[in-house]
Amino acid sequence: MRPSEDTNSSETSADNVKAEVFSSDEELKTVAKRLRRHIINMTGKAGSGHPGGSLSSVEIATTLYWKVLRHRPANPQWIDRDRFILSKGHAAPLLYAVLAECGYFPVAELTTLRQMDSRLQGHADRTATPGVEMSSGSLGQGLSFAIGVALAGRLNTQSYCVYALLGDGECDEGQVWEAAMAAAHFKVDNLVAIVDNNGQQIDGWNCDVMNLEPLNKKWEAFGWHVIEVDGHDFTQLLNAFEQTKLVKGQPTVIIAHTVKGKGVSFMENNADFHGKAPNAAEVEIALKELE
Ligand SMILES: Cc1ncc(C[n+]2csc(CCOP(=O)(O)OP(=O)(O)O)c2C)c(N)n1
Ligand SMILES: [Mg+2]
């Protein structure tokens, strides 16, 4: 975790400890594996949920929360925190796993996913769960929300950055492109969008449902700085996030090429597991693969 830059904070030393523990590529891979195991266990126990798109975004979220974001799990409302907006809200299991592993709430609570009275509902609720910045689940809205948060930061002369994670299927929504146009128009350069480009959505391959290609040229035409990476490669992701800091006067999008269901053989590139939980036997096989 990147330490807060507020040296007056009593949380800084604790943050620094985590920064050292999770600094290497190998250690990030260990975190990623733990997050994947949580996703399998949570959705398996709940008997519902969205494992595919949670698994594809694991390295993106790990890089952000363990290497990029300035945040304080002990103080989720810290005014100068960087903001992470999960626009593809069905990937809530991933967000919960990340927040729990960072210390926003106990890891043991993850097993309450989707239960009555749990703080961890199928789609995240910012009024219920510490660390959740936006209630999402209705696709297409997160980028618009993120622009508002980024503009508020600019108006208040705050230095935080806003990161919004979108699905590629989500980019079929018209509102995404209205937001894309607005972000470039208002030169929102404290905003980074990440598109989890796993090639699939709820009903299968994007190219069959509603073709998005050439996705990079579309973002470019809308006035964005575009970076493309392997979305499972920590070095490429980290370099991309560092590069975004140098871009001034326009927003940046990172198109992260990923595999839906990444890490579990029978879920990879299998749209069946977009919104279907693994059964008990499948949980066992998946956890074996993720040892
Ligand atoms: C406005 C809206 N329409 C439809 C849905 C139902 N839905 C949930 S996930 C999904 C597919 C999303 O695909 P993508 O953005 O590519 O997500 P990922 O592959 O990362 O899981 C759809 C259509 C929704 N949540 N919101
Ligand atoms: Mg997708």
Side-chain angles (χ1 to χ4, degrees):
M1 185 181 311
R2 190 171 149 188
S4 106
E5 284 163 2
D6 176 359
T7 47
N8 294 325
S9 165
S10 58
E11 292 150 29
T12 304
S13 59
D15 285 350
N16 276 332
V17 171
K18 272 207 166 178
E20 276 186 14
V21 172
F22 297 125
S23 56
S24 78
D25 203 65
E26 275 317 301
E27 284 156 344
L28 290 173
K29 283 182 184 161
T30 306
V31 176
K33 196 174 276 187
R34 240 186 357 251
L35 297 175
R36 287 199 161 89
R37 292 178 64 87
H38 285 318
I39 291 163
I40 296 301
N41 276 319
M42 293 161 77
T43 53
K45 174 147 191 293
S48 61
H50 297 80
S54 295
L55 291 167
S56 61
S57 295
V58 163
E59 281 78 12
I60 297 166
T62 304
T63 307
L64 276 169
Y65 274 85
W66 273 267
K67 298 294 280 185
V68 178
L69 295 183
R70 290 177 308 161
H71 65 128
R72 294 180 181 169
N75 182 10
Q77 296 303 316
W78 176 42
I79 193 88
D80 288 323
R81 69 194 183 282
D82 290 326
R83 272 71 165 169
F84 174 73
I85 312 290
L86 182 69
S87 188
K88 45 173 276 186
H90 56 283
L94 167 64
L95 180 58
Y96 298 150
V98 166
L99 293 174
E101 283 288 340
C102 285
Y104 283 85
F105 51 82
V107 169
E109 201 171 328
L110 291 176
T111 54
T112 69
L113 177 74
R114 289 179 170 243
Q115 285 177 17
M116 293 286 275
D117 299 326
S118 168
R119 294 194 286 188
L120 311 182
Q121 288 306 306
H123 296 82
D125 176 351
R126 70 183 294 274
T127 67
T129 315
V132 171
E133 298 283 355
M134 177 193 174
S135 301
S136 57
S138 183
L139 295 170
Q141 299 178 353
L143 193 58
S144 307
F145 182 94
I147 292 171
V149 178
L151 286 174
R154 186 201 281 177
L155 278 172
N156 294 331
T157 60
Q158 287 173 269
S159 63
Y160 65 72
C161 190
V162 182
Y163 299 88
L165 178 60
L166 284 69
D168 48 6
E170 182 179 9
C171 294
D172 284 345
E173 293 280 352
Q175 188 178 343
V176 170
W177 301 103
E178 294 177 45
M181 192 159 44
H185 177 82
F186 293 110
K187 301 183 174 26
V188 191
D189 55 11
N190 56 343
L191 170 67
V192 176
I194 308 108
V195 178
D196 179 344
N197 194 191
N198 58 30
Q200 291 193 328
Q201 51 184 278
I202 196 168
D203 289 322
W205 295 98
N206 296 325
C207 56
D208 297 325
V209 180
M210 179 67 77
N211 191 24
L212 289 150
E213 298 299 336
L215 191 56
N216 52 0
K217 289 201 165 53
K218 285 191 173 72
W219 285 97
E220 214 174 279
F222 273 75
W224 288 58
H225 179 72
V226 181
I227 305 172
E228 291 195 61
V229 297
D230 174 339
H232 299 302
D233 182 314
F234 286 118
T235 307
Q236 287 189 35
L237 282 164
L238 193 54
N239 286 342
F241 284 117
E242 276 171 7
Q243 204 186 311
T244 66
K245 301 275 179 207
L246 308 173
V247 179
K248 299 294 170 206
Q250 66 179 151
T252 298
V253 61
I254 298 174
I255 299 178
H257 299 286
T258 63
V259 173
K260 196 149 178 164
K262 176 74 175 175
V264 178
S265 58
F266 57 90
M267 289 187 174
E268 289 194 358
N269 289 320
N270 183 354
D272 283 352
F273 282 100
H274 166 80
K276 188 182 77 169
N279 63 31
E282 289 164 341
V283 166
E284 202 177 320
I285 298 167
L287 292 179
K288 191 94 195 129
E289 291 185 6
L290 291 167
E291 271 174 4

